[in-house]
Amino acid sequence: MATSFIRSLLIEDNVVHARLILSLLEKAEAVSFDVVHVDTLAAGLARLERGDIDVVLLDLVLPDSQELDTFMRVRADVPDIPVVILTGLEDINLAGRAVEAGAQAYLVKGQINSAQLERSIRYAIERTRAQSGEWDSPMFRLAQQQFLKAAQLMNLDDNIRQRLLFPQRAQVVTFPFRRDKHEQVETVFGYRVQHVLTMGPTKGGIRYHQDVNLGEVSALAMWMSWKCALMQLPYGGAKGGVRVDPTGFSRKELQRLTRRFTSEIIGMIGPDKDIPAPDMGTDENVMAWIMDTYSQQVGYSVPEVVTGKPVVLGGSLGRKEATGRGVVYAIEDAAKHLGMKLSQCTAVIQGFGNVGSHVARFLAEDGVKIIAVSDATTGIYNPHGLSVGSLLEYVREHRFLEGFPDGEAISNAELLELPCDILAPAALQNQITLDNAPRIKCKLLAEGANGPTSLEADEILNDRGIFILPDVLANAGGVTVSYFEWVQGTQNYMWSHEEINGRLHKIMTDAFHSTLQRSQRDHLDMRTAALIEGIDRITQAKLLRGIFP
Ligand code: GLU
C-alpha cells in the first residue's frame, strides 16, 4: 500500500511527452503521485503561487519561456521546492547547466522507466530537505517555544537556557537498504539525537516515519529530557529515527533496515550510554533485532541495550501497555481533582495503535463510554458507546479500523471536535492548532501522543478552561516501565506484573501531584508547570556538575 503522496507540478507543453510522464508516475509503487499538468510557464508559476506542491517537473523549452531562463524564473519564485528537469537528448547540455544552477536532477525523456522516475523525484525531495530543512521542523520550533516560555516564567539562568535549547549530540547517517522485490538499493537517512547527557545514560524511542528529520528527532529528544526529569528517572532525553514510510514493509525488510541502522549508530548506544525503545512505526520485534545486532557486535548478549523488548528476551511485563496504562492513571488523578465521575464520562481517542488502543481498553475498564476512536484510515463514531473488544478484534483481523460495522465513519478532524468529557490524542503531532482549538469540546485533554497541541492552541484551550494533561506527563508511563525493564536487566531482577503496575501508579500519581501543586502555587498551566518541574531538576544537576575543564 502506497501511503505517501507527492504533489507534483508537471510543466510540459509536448502532449506526447506529458502523457508518457503521467503514465510512468501512475505506475509508481512506493508512493502515489498527485500530478497537476500545465503547458506554459505562466500557468506553472500561477499554480506554484497557490502552494502545496512538493516537486516541479520542468521542461525548459516552453511556448512562453526558453532554456535556462525557464529554470531561473521557477527558482526565483519558489527557491525551496526541488525542480527536476525533463530533457530530450538534444538538450542535455542545457539540462546540465540547470543542475549546476540549482535544479536537483535531470531526466532524459524516453530513456526513463517508472521506477527511475519515481526514485529521482523522491531523492530530489530528500536532498532538498537534507540541504535546507534538517533543523527546520514545526515540531522543533514547538519544543523550543515551549522551553523558552517555561524558561522565561521560571527565570532560568541564561547560560543553562542556551545550553538546553539544542541537543548535546546528534548523529546523522545515510545508509543503503534493499527492498524485497526492487532491484534498486534505497539510500535512507537515519538519526540519533541525545539532548542532555547530565543525568545518566540517555533514553528514548526510535521512530520510522516519512517525516522524520533532525529537527523532529531533536524535539522528541528534548521532550524525553523533560519527561524523564519530571518522573525522576535517572536519564537524559534521546530519540532516534529513520526517514522511511514502513507501512508497506515486509518483516524481512524491517529487519534489514533495523540491523543496518543499528550498526550505523552502534557507537552511540549502549546500556550505560543510550538506550533505545519503541516509538511510532517500531515495536518489540524491532527492539529484538537491535538487541541481537548489538550483541553480535560485542560478542555476548546485552538485553539492557534496549527496552520494550519481547518478554522472553528480557522485556518487562507490562511494558507494552505501559504508555496507555499511564495515560489512564493520569486521567484518573485528573478526574478526581476535577470532580468528574469516570463511570459517567465519555471519551474520544485519536489513534488506535499501541497507545490509543490501550487507553481505550483501560478507560472502558473504568466504566468510561468510548464514543469514538480513529486510525490512519478512518474515525468510528457511536454515541451509544463502542465495544473496545470488538474494535480490537476487528483490527486484529483487518489491520485497520476502516469498515468497522458498529458505528458511523467520520474523519480524524471531525473526531477531534466531538463533544465529550475526555479527549485523548494518541496518534500524531500537531493535531490541535489555532484552527480547531476554539471548537474542541472536551473537559479534559490527555495527550498520549508527543506534541499534539500547538502553542497557540494551548493558550486557547487554557482560556476556555479545558484541563490539559500534557504529553510529558500523560504519556510518561512508557519510559517509566522502560526504566523498570532496564533496572531488571542490569540487576537480573524479575518483577511481577503487580509490582510493575504498582510502581508505575505511584510514579505517575507523584508526578501528577507535583505538577498540579506547582501549577496552583505559581498560577501556571499544567504544561508549563510540568516542563518547569523537569527543567528545574536538570538545571540543578547541571549547576552541581559544573563545567569541564
Ligand atoms: N517512545 C516512548 C516515549 O516517547 C518511550 C521511550 C522509552 O521507553 O524510552 O516516551
Side-chain angles (χ1 to χ4, degrees):
M1 186 176 87
T3 52
S4 307
F5 282 92
I6 296 184
R7 295 158 305 183
S8 323
L9 174 63
L10 171 62
I11 310 181
E12 167 67 86
D13 62 328
N14 182 313
V15 186
V16 179
H17 289 163
R19 213 177 288 146
L20 169 76
I21 300 291
L22 289 169
S23 77
L24 291 177
L25 291 176
E26 224 163 75
K27 285 191 217 124
E29 287 190 3
V31 290
S32 302
F33 287 94
D34 187 357
V35 194
V36 178
H37 172 215
V38 295
D39 53 13
T40 61
L41 183 64
L45 295 179
R47 176 62 192 82
L48 283 171
E49 205 169 300
R50 303 214 318 266
D52 283 342
I53 292 290
D54 300 315
V55 67
V56 180
L57 310 176
L58 183 65
D59 176 16
L60 291 174
V61 184
L62 296 166
D64 56 342
S65 178
Q66 302 288 310
E67 312 215 332
L68 209 52
D69 198 36
T70 311
F71 169 69
M72 290 311 201
R73 285 167 66 190
V74 172
R75 169 72 352 140
D77 273 23
V78 283
D80 299 328
I81 297 181
V83 178
V84 175
I85 305 294
L86 302 171
T87 177
L89 260 182
E90 63 290 357
D91 286 332
I92 242 172
N93 284 340
L94 174 61
R97 277 195 285 136
V99 170
E100 274 166 29
Q104 283 294 348
Y106 70 75
L107 296 169
V108 183
K109 290 179 273 199
Q111 294 195 347
I112 32 169
N113 63 30
S114 172
Q116 287 164 336
L117 178 62
E118 171 197 322
R119 184 178 154 95
S120 298
I121 294 174
R122 279 195 290 118
Y123 280 30
I125 295 173
E126 280 279 335
R127 275 199 301 279
T128 308
R129 274 196 200 170
Q131 282 158 4
S132 65
E134 279 294 359
W135 286 103
D136 189 24
S137 108
M139 241 162 125
F140 194 44
R141 276 198 292 277
L142 174 63
Q144 288 192 326
Q145 284 166 344
Q146 286 176 350
F147 167 67
L148 288 171
K149 178 179 169 193
Q152 175 76 24
L153 288 166
M154 71 192 282
N155 209 4
L156 183 69
D157 178 323
D158 196 46
N159 297 319
I160 302 277
R161 181 198 314 246
Q162 297 307 330
R163 193 79 192 95
L164 293 175
L165 201 52
F166 280 90
Q168 279 184 239
R169 286 185 189 160
Q171 187 176 4
V172 181
V173 297
T174 63
F175 60 97
F177 161 57
R178 200 185 292 279
R179 299 293 306 261
D180 288 342
K181 28 174 223 229
H182 303 281
E183 274 168 36
Q184 284 164 334
V185 172
E186 302 278 351
T187 294
V188 296
F189 281 72
Y191 308 84
R192 185 73 189 170
V193 170
Q194 299 168 348
H195 176 240
V196 165
L197 284 92
T198 312
M199 315 301 288
T202 48
K203 185 88 193 78
I206 288 184
R207 95 173 15 187
Y208 292 165
H209 192 271
Q210 59 273 21
D211 290 340
V212 160
N213 61 17
L214 189 55
E216 177 174 312
V217 176
S218 301
L220 291 160
M222 203 185 240
W223 285 325
M224 285 308 296
S225 292
W226 317 145
K227 198 186 299 190
C228 292
L230 171 65
M231 307 315 276
Q232 310 203 4
L233 307 176
Y235 297 132
K239 206 76 167 200
V242 180
R243 182 158 60 241
V244 286
D245 175 2
T247 37
F249 286 5
S250 69
R251 303 305 293 171
K252 282 186 189 155
E253 289 174 329
L254 262 188
Q255 178 167 171
R256 282 201 291 273
L257 179 81
T258 301
R259 287 190 184 278
R260 180 61 190 249
F261 178 53
T262 308
S263 17
E264 295 292 339
I265 59 162
I266 208 148
M268 256 187 132
I269 59 172
D272 303 318
K273 283 201 236 176
D274 180 13
I275 305 127
D279 198 84
M280 204 184 280
T282 59
D283 60 13
E284 58 176 27
N285 287 307
V286 171
M287 295 307 116
W289 296 323
I290 296 178
M291 176 237 164
D292 186 68
T293 308
Y294 185 89
S295 301
Q296 294 298 337
Q297 286 291 319
V298 296
Y300 54 92
S301 276
V302 189
E304 322 87 76
V305 67
V306 284
T307 58
K309 302 175 286 289
V311 173
V312 70
L313 289 178
S316 179
L317 294 171
R319 172 61 185 86
K320 199 166 183 181
E321 61 271 33
T323 310
R325 195 181 283 281
V327 171
V328 174
Y329 285 153
I331 290 174
E332 287 168 2
D333 284 327
K336 216 174 287 166
H337 164 68
L338 298 169
M340 288 161 66
K341 248 199 157 125
L342 284 181
S343 57
Q344 291 164 10
C345 286
T346 55
V348 169
I349 298 157
Q350 185 192 38
F352 206 66
N354 187 41
V355 182
S357 65
H358 283 111
V359 172
R361 206 182 109 201
F362 297 127
L363 279 181
E365 281 174 18
D366 277 347
V368 175
K369 192 199 284 180
I370 313 294
I371 56 167
V373 296
S374 68
D375 66 8
T377 61
T378 187
I380 303 285
Y381 171 54
N382 186 339
H384 306 295
L386 292 157
S387 148
V388 178
S390 313
L391 288 165
L392 287 168
E393 211 179 294
Y394 188 86
V395 168
R396 239 189 318 271
E397 206 176 310
H398 300 90
R399 195 161 163 218
F400 294 109
L401 288 168
E402 195 162 36
F404 181 76
D406 244 358
E408 180 193 332
I410 54 169
S411 70
N412 260 292
E414 289 165 334
L415 169 129
L416 290 171
E417 297 176 17
L418 289 172
C420 61
D421 297 303
I422 302 159
L423 174 63
L428 293 168
Q429 59 266 20
N430 202 27
Q431 294 300 297
I432 303 177
T433 61
L434 194 57
D435 282 346
N436 61 0
R439 296 188 302 276
I440 300 289
K441 298 183 194 76
C442 63
K443 295 192 185 110
L444 172 58
L445 179 75
E447 297 182 341
N450 287 312
T453 309
S454 76
L455 206 67
E456 299 88 348
D458 236 353
E459 280 177 22
I460 298 173
L461 300 179
N462 283 320
D463 285 348
R464 293 183 49 220
I466 294 173
F467 189 86
I468 302 180
L469 285 167
D471 47 7
V472 291
L473 170 64
N475 70 31
V479 69
T480 303
V481 177
S482 273
Y483 164 66
F484 299 160
E485 181 172 328
W486 179 73
V487 169
Q488 291 172 87
T490 51
Q491 308 297 317
N492 302 310
Y493 282 139
M494 271 169 58
W495 295 348
S496 69
H497 220 136
E498 291 70 48
E499 248 173 306
I500 301 278
N501 289 346
R503 287 174 196 260
L504 171 63
H505 202 167
K506 172 152 180 19
I507 291 184
M508 288 299 303
T509 297
D510 287 352
F512 173 82
H513 286 291
S514 58
T515 304
L516 184 67
Q517 259 165 30
R518 190 181 280 264
S519 126
Q520 290 175 330
R521 191 192 65 202
D522 298 343
H523 308 289
L524 299 167
D525 59 88
M526 282 291 277
R527 185 185 317 281
T528 309
L531 294 180
I532 292 180
E533 280 287 303
I535 296 166
D536 194 27
R537 197 172 158 86
I538 293 173
T539 302
Q540 286 176 41
K542 279 212 171 284
L543 293 175
L544 285 167
R545 279 186 61 161
I547 297 176
F548 170 83

